[in-house]
Amino acid sequence: MAPANPFRPKTLAEEVASYVRKELLLSDTYPPGSFIREEELASKLGISRAPVREGLKMLEGLGLLRSIPQKGSLVVAFSPGEIEELYDIRYALEEILFREIIRRGTFTGEQQGALKKILSRMRLLGSSGDSREEILLEFSGLDMEFHLSLAALAGREWTLRLLRTVYHQIQHALLRDLATESDMEALVAEHEEILGALQRGDLEELRKGRFFSYFERRLDPNKGKVRPEPHETPGEEDQTGQKKGEKA
């Protein structure tokens, strides 16, 4: 994926999409299930309805809004089941990309260094003095940069396009739930494990490490952890009445 041109100014429609997306992620202005109306948003921003319409369509294309005739753009709400489905899709697409990165040998030391710099910036945010809203927005932006930069190494443009949409939907559904510094640290640690497995070319380890989603582990912290074998208590009797460890 070619990097964005830093000198290309954003269009007004892109500015509208960026503004609305920030509102969706961090404020209570447009909660899930509410409607965004073109004329009201245009009046609020002091611009014509044309760029507002185009900006909202951009967000509809990412699956964050749904156009309802005569009502406006509905803010999509994702149920827990839908979030898990999005993770299933995400991991299936990521496995294709990881496999291709390993096959093509495109994960070089230079690429790893650049991605580690992103992780360093993510880790520092947890201890910054910024507001929670500013930290979440910056953290999610760096997280997206990390994943899209990594996925681009596979050279699979259509897979990357699909994955970009899924990333935005998961971010939309879960960003507010990312509330603490420990959450951020855990996510950074997971990202570092991905880099380590890619460096070793270990696709199986990548599969294991990402079998249970972050969302599912929030519901059950023991998900995905290897459970130790139960310890036997010395002298404990089994169902036959014989002490464990004694020979018959």
Short mmCIF file of all heavy atoms in Angstrom, two decimals, residues 169-220:
data_model
loop_
_atom_site.label_atom_id
_atom_site.label_comp_id
_atom_site.label_asym_id
_atom_site.label_seq_id
_atom_site.Cartn_x
_atom_site.Cartn_y
_atom_site.Cartn_z
N GLN A 169 -14.66 -1.05 11.59
CA GLN A 169 -15.87 -1.47 12.28
C GLN A 169 -15.57 -1.94 13.70
O GLN A 169 -16.30 -1.62 14.64
CB GLN A 169 -16.57 -2.57 11.47
CG GLN A 169 -17.15 -2.05 10.16
CD GLN A 169 -17.60 -3.17 9.24
OE1 GLN A 169 -17.23 -4.32 9.40
NE2 GLN A 169 -18.41 -2.82 8.24
N ILE A 170 -14.48 -2.69 13.87
CA ILE A 170 -14.10 -3.14 15.20
C ILE A 170 -13.70 -1.95 16.07
O ILE A 170 -14.06 -1.86 17.25
CB ILE A 170 -12.95 -4.16 15.12
CG1 ILE A 170 -13.47 -5.47 14.51
CG2 ILE A 170 -12.35 -4.43 16.50
CD1 ILE A 170 -12.40 -6.52 14.29
N GLN A 171 -12.96 -1.02 15.49
CA GLN A 171 -12.58 0.18 16.23
C GLN A 171 -13.83 0.94 16.68
O GLN A 171 -13.92 1.39 17.82
CB GLN A 171 -11.71 1.08 15.36
CG GLN A 171 -11.25 2.35 16.05
CD GLN A 171 -10.65 3.35 15.08
OE1 GLN A 171 -11.25 3.67 14.06
NE2 GLN A 171 -9.45 3.83 15.39
N HIS A 172 -14.78 1.09 15.78
CA HIS A 172 -16.04 1.78 16.07
C HIS A 172 -16.78 1.10 17.22
O HIS A 172 -17.35 1.76 18.09
CB HIS A 172 -16.90 1.78 14.80
CG HIS A 172 -18.27 2.35 14.98
ND1 HIS A 172 -18.51 3.70 15.04
CD2 HIS A 172 -19.48 1.75 15.09
CE1 HIS A 172 -19.82 3.91 15.18
NE2 HIS A 172 -20.43 2.74 15.22
N ALA A 173 -16.74 -0.24 17.24
CA ALA A 173 -17.49 -0.99 18.24
C ALA A 173 -16.82 -1.03 19.60
O ALA A 173 -17.51 -1.09 20.63
CB ALA A 173 -17.73 -2.42 17.74
N LEU A 174 -15.48 -0.98 19.64
CA LEU A 174 -14.78 -1.29 20.88
C LEU A 174 -13.94 -0.16 21.47
O LEU A 174 -13.45 -0.31 22.58
CB LEU A 174 -13.86 -2.50 20.67
CG LEU A 174 -14.54 -3.85 20.49
CD1 LEU A 174 -13.49 -4.94 20.36
CD2 LEU A 174 -15.47 -4.16 21.65
N LEU A 175 -13.75 0.93 20.76
CA LEU A 175 -12.81 1.94 21.26
C LEU A 175 -13.19 2.47 22.64
O LEU A 175 -12.34 2.62 23.51
CB LEU A 175 -12.71 3.11 20.27
CG LEU A 175 -11.72 4.21 20.70
CD1 LEU A 175 -10.31 3.65 20.78
CD2 LEU A 175 -11.76 5.39 19.74
N ARG A 176 -14.45 2.71 22.87
CA ARG A 176 -14.88 3.25 24.16
C ARG A 176 -14.58 2.28 25.30
O ARG A 176 -14.46 2.67 26.46
CB ARG A 176 -16.37 3.55 24.15
CG ARG A 176 -16.75 4.75 23.29
CD ARG A 176 -18.27 4.81 23.14
NE ARG A 176 -18.67 5.90 22.27
CZ ARG A 176 -19.12 7.07 22.70
NH1 ARG A 176 -19.18 7.31 24.00
NH2 ARG A 176 -19.48 8.01 21.86
N ASP A 177 -14.49 0.99 24.97
CA ASP A 177 -14.26 -0.02 25.99
C ASP A 177 -12.79 -0.11 26.38
O ASP A 177 -12.43 -0.74 27.37
CB ASP A 177 -14.73 -1.38 25.48
CG ASP A 177 -14.93 -2.39 26.59
OD1 ASP A 177 -15.42 -1.98 27.65
OD2 ASP A 177 -14.59 -3.56 26.41
N LEU A 178 -11.92 0.51 25.60
CA LEU A 178 -10.48 0.51 25.88
C LEU A 178 -10.21 1.64 26.87
O LEU A 178 -9.92 2.76 26.50
CB LEU A 178 -9.69 0.73 24.60
CG LEU A 178 -8.17 0.65 24.70
CD1 LEU A 178 -7.72 -0.73 25.12
CD2 LEU A 178 -7.54 1.03 23.38
N ALA A 179 -10.33 1.33 28.15
CA ALA A 179 -10.43 2.41 29.13
C ALA A 179 -9.20 2.64 29.98
O ALA A 179 -9.03 3.70 30.56
CB ALA A 179 -11.62 2.14 30.06
N THR A 180 -8.31 1.65 30.09
CA THR A 180 -7.23 1.78 31.06
C THR A 180 -5.86 1.62 30.42
O THR A 180 -5.71 1.09 29.33
CB THR A 180 -7.37 0.72 32.16
OG1 THR A 180 -7.14 -0.58 31.59
CG2 THR A 180 -8.75 0.74 32.79
N GLU A 181 -4.86 2.07 31.16
CA GLU A 181 -3.49 1.93 30.70
C GLU A 181 -3.11 0.46 30.56
O GLU A 181 -2.36 0.08 29.67
CB GLU A 181 -2.55 2.62 31.69
CG GLU A 181 -1.09 2.63 31.28
CD GLU A 181 -0.22 3.38 32.27
OE1 GLU A 181 -0.76 4.20 33.04
OE2 GLU A 181 0.99 3.11 32.26
N SER A 182 -3.63 -0.40 31.46
CA SER A 182 -3.31 -1.83 31.38
C SER A 182 -3.87 -2.45 30.11
O SER A 182 -3.28 -3.36 29.52
CB SER A 182 -3.84 -2.57 32.62
OG SER A 182 -5.25 -2.46 32.70
N ASP A 183 -5.05 -1.97 29.66
CA ASP A 183 -5.61 -2.45 28.39
C ASP A 183 -4.64 -2.14 27.26
O ASP A 183 -4.39 -2.98 26.39
CB ASP A 183 -6.95 -1.75 28.10
CG ASP A 183 -8.06 -2.20 29.04
OD1 ASP A 183 -7.98 -3.32 29.55
OD2 ASP A 183 -8.98 -1.41 29.27
N MET A 184 -4.13 -0.92 27.25
CA MET A 184 -3.23 -0.49 26.18
C MET A 184 -1.93 -1.30 26.21
O MET A 184 -1.42 -1.72 25.18
CB MET A 184 -2.93 1.01 26.32
CG MET A 184 -4.15 1.88 26.12
SD MET A 184 -3.75 3.63 26.31
CE MET A 184 -5.40 4.35 26.22
N GLU A 185 -1.41 -1.51 27.41
CA GLU A 185 -0.16 -2.27 27.54
C GLU A 185 -0.35 -3.70 27.04
O GLU A 185 0.53 -4.27 26.38
CB GLU A 185 0.29 -2.28 29.00
CG GLU A 185 1.61 -2.99 29.25
CD GLU A 185 2.76 -2.35 28.51
OE1 GLU A 185 2.78 -1.12 28.37
OE2 GLU A 185 3.66 -3.11 28.05
N ALA A 186 -1.50 -4.31 27.35
CA ALA A 186 -1.77 -5.68 26.90
C ALA A 186 -1.85 -5.74 25.38
O ALA A 186 -1.34 -6.69 24.76
CB ALA A 186 -3.08 -6.18 27.51
N LEU A 187 -2.46 -4.72 24.77
CA LEU A 187 -2.56 -4.70 23.31
C LEU A 187 -1.20 -4.52 22.66
O LEU A 187 -0.89 -5.16 21.65
CB LEU A 187 -3.52 -3.58 22.87
CG LEU A 187 -5.00 -3.88 23.04
CD1 LEU A 187 -5.82 -2.66 22.67
CD2 LEU A 187 -5.42 -5.06 22.17
N VAL A 188 -0.37 -3.66 23.22
CA VAL A 188 0.98 -3.46 22.68
C VAL A 188 1.78 -4.76 22.77
O VAL A 188 2.49 -5.14 21.84
CB VAL A 188 1.71 -2.32 23.41
CG1 VAL A 188 3.17 -2.25 22.97
CG2 VAL A 188 1.02 -0.98 23.14
N ALA A 189 1.65 -5.47 23.90
CA ALA A 189 2.35 -6.74 24.07
C ALA A 189 1.91 -7.76 23.01
O ALA A 189 2.73 -8.51 22.47
CB ALA A 189 2.10 -7.30 25.48
N GLU A 190 0.61 -7.79 22.70
CA GLU A 190 0.12 -8.69 21.66
C GLU A 190 0.72 -8.33 20.30
O GLU A 190 1.06 -9.21 19.50
CB GLU A 190 -1.41 -8.63 21.59
CG GLU A 190 -2.10 -9.31 22.76
CD GLU A 190 -3.61 -9.33 22.59
OE1 GLU A 190 -4.10 -8.90 21.52
OE2 GLU A 190 -4.29 -9.75 23.53
N HIS A 191 0.83 -7.05 20.03
CA HIS A 191 1.41 -6.60 18.76
C HIS A 191 2.87 -7.04 18.66
O HIS A 191 3.34 -7.43 17.59
CB HIS A 191 1.31 -5.08 18.64
CG HIS A 191 -0.09 -4.57 18.41
ND1 HIS A 191 -1.16 -4.98 19.14
CD2 HIS A 191 -0.58 -3.67 17.51
CE1 HIS A 191 -2.25 -4.36 18.72
NE2 HIS A 191 -1.92 -3.56 17.72
N GLU A 192 3.59 -6.97 19.78
CA GLU A 192 4.99 -7.38 19.78
C GLU A 192 5.12 -8.88 19.51
O GLU A 192 6.07 -9.32 18.85
CB GLU A 192 5.64 -7.01 21.12
CG GLU A 192 5.83 -5.50 21.28
CD GLU A 192 6.33 -5.12 22.66
OE1 GLU A 192 6.08 -5.90 23.61
OE2 GLU A 192 6.94 -4.05 22.79
N GLU A 193 4.17 -9.66 20.01
CA GLU A 193 4.18 -11.10 19.75
C GLU A 193 3.96 -11.38 18.27
O GLU A 193 4.55 -12.33 17.71
CB GLU A 193 3.09 -11.78 20.58
CG GLU A 193 3.39 -11.80 22.07
CD GLU A 193 2.24 -12.36 22.88
OE1 GLU A 193 1.27 -12.85 22.28
OE2 GLU A 193 2.31 -12.30 24.13
N ILE A 194 3.13 -10.59 17.62
CA ILE A 194 2.92 -10.75 16.18
C ILE A 194 4.22 -10.53 15.43
O ILE A 194 4.59 -11.32 14.54
CB ILE A 194 1.84 -9.75 15.68
CG1 ILE A 194 0.47 -10.09 16.27
CG2 ILE A 194 1.76 -9.77 14.14
CD1 ILE A 194 -0.57 -9.03 15.99
N LEU A 195 4.94 -9.48 15.79
CA LEU A 195 6.21 -9.18 15.12
C LEU A 195 7.22 -10.30 15.33
O LEU A 195 7.95 -10.68 14.40
CB LEU A 195 6.78 -7.85 15.61
CG LEU A 195 5.94 -6.59 15.32
CD1 LEU A 195 6.69 -5.36 15.80
CD2 LEU A 195 5.61 -6.48 13.84
N GLY A 196 7.26 -10.83 16.55
CA GLY A 196 8.20 -11.92 16.84
C GLY A 196 7.90 -13.16 16.02
O GLY A 196 8.82 -13.79 15.47
N ALA A 197 6.62 -13.51 15.91
CA ALA A 197 6.24 -14.69 15.13
C ALA A 197 6.52 -14.49 13.65
O ALA A 197 6.95 -15.43 12.95
CB ALA A 197 4.76 -15.01 15.36
N LEU A 198 6.29 -13.29 13.15
CA LEU A 198 6.59 -13.01 11.74
C LEU A 198 8.09 -13.08 11.48
O LEU A 198 8.53 -13.57 10.43
CB LEU A 198 6.04 -11.64 11.35
CG LEU A 198 4.55 -11.56 11.02
CD1 LEU A 198 4.13 -10.12 10.83
CD2 LEU A 198 4.23 -12.38 9.76
N GLN A 199 8.87 -12.59 12.41
CA GLN A 199 10.32 -12.63 12.25
C GLN A 199 10.81 -14.09 12.15
O GLN A 199 11.71 -14.40 11.37
CB GLN A 199 11.01 -11.94 13.42
CG GLN A 199 12.53 -11.84 13.28
CD GLN A 199 13.16 -11.17 14.48
OE1 GLN A 199 12.65 -11.27 15.60
NE2 GLN A 199 14.25 -10.47 14.27
N ARG A 200 10.17 -14.98 12.93
CA ARG A 200 10.54 -16.40 12.89
C ARG A 200 9.89 -17.14 11.73
O ARG A 200 10.22 -18.29 11.47
CB ARG A 200 10.13 -17.07 14.21
CG ARG A 200 10.83 -16.51 15.43
CD ARG A 200 10.53 -17.35 16.67
NE ARG A 200 9.10 -17.42 16.97
CZ ARG A 200 8.46 -16.53 17.72
NH1 ARG A 200 9.11 -15.48 18.23
NH2 ARG A 200 7.16 -16.67 17.96
N GLY A 201 8.94 -16.48 11.06
CA GLY A 201 8.20 -17.15 9.99
C GLY A 201 7.28 -18.23 10.52
O GLY A 201 7.03 -19.23 9.84
N ASP A 202 6.75 -18.02 11.73
CA ASP A 202 5.96 -19.04 12.42
C ASP A 202 4.47 -18.75 12.26
O ASP A 202 3.85 -18.11 13.11
CB ASP A 202 6.35 -19.06 13.90
CG ASP A 202 5.81 -20.28 14.64
OD1 ASP A 202 4.88 -20.92 14.11
OD2 ASP A 202 6.33 -20.57 15.72
N LEU A 203 3.89 -19.24 11.19
CA LEU A 203 2.47 -19.00 10.93
C LEU A 203 1.60 -19.72 11.95
O LEU A 203 0.55 -19.20 12.34
CB LEU A 203 2.12 -19.46 9.52
CG LEU A 203 0.69 -19.18 9.04
CD1 LEU A 203 0.38 -17.69 9.08
CD2 LEU A 203 0.46 -19.73 7.63
N GLU A 204 2.03 -20.89 12.40
CA GLU A 204 1.24 -21.63 13.37
C GLU A 204 1.13 -20.87 14.69
O GLU A 204 0.08 -20.84 15.33
CB GLU A 204 1.86 -23.01 13.62
CG GLU A 204 1.02 -23.92 14.50
CD GLU A 204 -0.38 -24.16 13.94
OE1 GLU A 204 -0.54 -24.20 12.70
OE2 GLU A 204 -1.31 -24.30 14.76
N GLU A 205 2.21 -20.24 15.11
CA GLU A 205 2.19 -19.45 16.33
C GLU A 205 1.27 -18.24 16.17
O GLU A 205 0.58 -17.85 17.12
CB GLU A 205 3.61 -18.98 16.68
CG GLU A 205 3.71 -18.25 18.01
CD GLU A 205 3.32 -19.13 19.19
OE1 GLU A 205 3.48 -20.36 19.09
OE2 GLU A 205 2.84 -18.57 20.19
N LEU A 206 1.25 -17.65 14.99
CA LEU A 206 0.34 -16.54 14.73
C LEU A 206 -1.10 -17.00 14.84
O LEU A 206 -1.95 -16.28 15.37
CB LEU A 206 0.60 -15.96 13.33
CG LEU A 206 1.87 -15.11 13.20
CD1 LEU A 206 2.24 -14.95 11.73
CD2 LEU A 206 1.68 -13.75 13.86
N ARG A 207 -1.39 -18.20 14.34
CA ARG A 207 -2.75 -18.74 14.46
C ARG A 207 -3.14 -18.93 15.92
O ARG A 207 -4.23 -18.57 16.35
CB ARG A 207 -2.86 -20.07 13.72
CG ARG A 207 -2.79 -19.99 12.21
CD ARG A 207 -3.23 -21.32 11.62
NE ARG A 207 -3.03 -21.37 10.19
CZ ARG A 207 -2.07 -22.08 9.60
NH1 ARG A 207 -1.21 -22.77 10.33
NH2 ARG A 207 -1.95 -22.08 8.29
N LYS A 208 -2.24 -19.54 16.70
CA LYS A 208 -2.53 -19.82 18.11
C LYS A 208 -2.73 -18.52 18.89
O LYS A 208 -3.66 -18.38 19.68
CB LYS A 208 -1.38 -20.59 18.73
CG LYS A 208 -1.24 -22.02 18.26
CD LYS A 208 -0.03 -22.66 18.93
CE LYS A 208 0.20 -24.07 18.42
NZ LYS A 208 1.42 -24.67 19.03
N GLY A 209 -1.83 -17.58 18.67
CA GLY A 209 -1.86 -16.35 19.44
C GLY A 209 -3.09 -15.50 19.19
O GLY A 209 -3.45 -14.67 20.02
N ARG A 210 -3.75 -15.70 18.05
CA ARG A 210 -4.88 -14.84 17.73
C ARG A 210 -6.19 -15.63 17.65
O ARG A 210 -7.16 -15.18 17.07
CB ARG A 210 -4.60 -14.12 16.41
CG ARG A 210 -3.33 -13.29 16.49
CD ARG A 210 -2.99 -12.60 15.22
NE ARG A 210 -3.93 -11.55 14.88
CZ ARG A 210 -4.03 -10.40 15.54
NH1 ARG A 210 -3.25 -10.15 16.56
NH2 ARG A 210 -4.90 -9.51 15.16
N PHE A 211 -6.20 -16.81 18.27
CA PHE A 211 -7.42 -17.63 18.20
C PHE A 211 -8.56 -17.00 18.99
O PHE A 211 -9.70 -16.99 18.55
CB PHE A 211 -7.13 -19.04 18.73
CG PHE A 211 -8.31 -19.96 18.61
CD1 PHE A 211 -8.64 -20.51 17.38
CD2 PHE A 211 -9.10 -20.27 19.71
CE1 PHE A 211 -9.73 -21.36 17.27
CE2 PHE A 211 -10.19 -21.11 19.59
CZ PHE A 211 -10.51 -21.66 18.37
N PHE A 212 -8.24 -16.49 20.17
CA PHE A 212 -9.27 -15.82 20.96
C PHE A 212 -9.10 -14.31 20.83
O PHE A 212 -8.00 -13.79 21.00
CB PHE A 212 -9.16 -16.22 22.44
CG PHE A 212 -9.54 -17.65 22.69
CD1 PHE A 212 -8.57 -18.59 22.92
CD2 PHE A 212 -10.86 -18.04 22.67
CE1 PHE A 212 -8.91 -19.91 23.15
CE2 PHE A 212 -11.22 -19.35 22.89
CZ PHE A 212 -10.23 -20.29 23.12
N SER A 213 -10.18 -13.64 20.54
CA SER A 213 -10.11 -12.20 20.32
C SER A 213 -9.94 -11.46 21.64
O SER A 213 -10.27 -11.94 22.72
CB SER A 213 -11.39 -11.70 19.65
OG SER A 213 -12.46 -11.67 20.57
N TYR A 214 -9.40 -10.24 21.52
CA TYR A 214 -9.26 -9.36 22.68
C TYR A 214 -10.63 -9.13 23.32
O TYR A 214 -10.77 -9.14 24.54
CB TYR A 214 -8.65 -8.03 22.25
CG TYR A 214 -8.61 -6.98 23.34
CD1 TYR A 214 -7.71 -7.09 24.39
CD2 TYR A 214 -9.48 -5.90 23.31
CE1 TYR A 214 -7.67 -6.13 25.39
CE2 TYR A 214 -9.44 -4.95 24.31
CZ TYR A 214 -8.54 -5.07 25.35
OH TYR A 214 -8.53 -4.13 26.35
N PHE A 215 -11.65 -8.96 22.50
CA PHE A 215 -13.00 -8.72 23.01
C PHE A 215 -13.48 -9.91 23.83
O PHE A 215 -14.02 -9.76 24.92
CB PHE A 215 -13.95 -8.47 21.85
CG PHE A 215 -15.40 -8.38 22.25
CD1 PHE A 215 -15.88 -7.28 22.91
CD2 PHE A 215 -16.27 -9.41 21.97
CE1 PHE A 215 -17.21 -7.19 23.29
CE2 PHE A 215 -17.60 -9.35 22.34
CZ PHE A 215 -18.07 -8.24 23.01
N GLU A 216 -13.27 -11.14 23.32
CA GLU A 216 -13.73 -12.32 24.02
C GLU A 216 -12.98 -12.52 25.33
O GLU A 216 -13.55 -12.93 26.34
CB GLU A 216 -13.56 -13.55 23.13
CG GLU A 216 -14.26 -14.79 23.67
CD GLU A 216 -14.28 -15.92 22.66
OE1 GLU A 216 -13.83 -15.71 21.52
OE2 GLU A 216 -14.74 -17.01 23.03
N ARG A 217 -11.69 -12.18 25.35
CA ARG A 217 -10.91 -12.32 26.57
C ARG A 217 -11.31 -11.29 27.62
O ARG A 217 -11.11 -11.50 28.81
CB ARG A 217 -9.41 -12.23 26.27
CG ARG A 217 -8.89 -13.43 25.52
CD ARG A 217 -7.38 -13.53 25.63
NE ARG A 217 -6.71 -12.33 25.18
CZ ARG A 217 -6.41 -12.07 23.91
NH1 ARG A 217 -6.77 -12.92 22.97
NH2 ARG A 217 -5.80 -10.96 23.58
N ARG A 218 -11.87 -10.17 27.19
CA ARG A 218 -12.38 -9.20 28.17
C ARG A 218 -13.58 -9.77 28.90
O ARG A 218 -13.80 -9.51 30.07
CB ARG A 218 -12.77 -7.89 27.48
CG ARG A 218 -11.60 -7.01 27.11
CD ARG A 218 -12.07 -5.67 26.59
NE ARG A 218 -12.71 -4.89 27.63
CZ ARG A 218 -12.07 -4.07 28.45
NH1 ARG A 218 -10.77 -3.93 28.35
NH2 ARG A 218 -12.72 -3.38 29.36
N LEU A 219 -14.38 -10.58 28.20
CA LEU A 219 -15.54 -11.20 28.82
C LEU A 219 -15.11 -12.34 29.73
O LEU A 219 -15.71 -12.59 30.77
CB LEU A 219 -16.50 -11.72 27.74
CG LEU A 219 -17.06 -10.67 26.79
CD1 LEU A 219 -17.98 -11.32 25.77
CD2 LEU A 219 -17.82 -9.59 27.56
N ASP A 220 -14.08 -13.09 29.31
CA ASP A 220 -13.55 -14.20 30.09
C ASP A 220 -12.03 -14.13 30.06
O ASP A 220 -11.41 -14.59 29.10
CB ASP A 220 -14.04 -15.53 29.52
CG ASP A 220 -13.52 -16.73 30.32
OD1 ASP A 220 -12.76 -16.52 31.29
OD2 ASP A 220 -13.88 -17.87 29.98
#
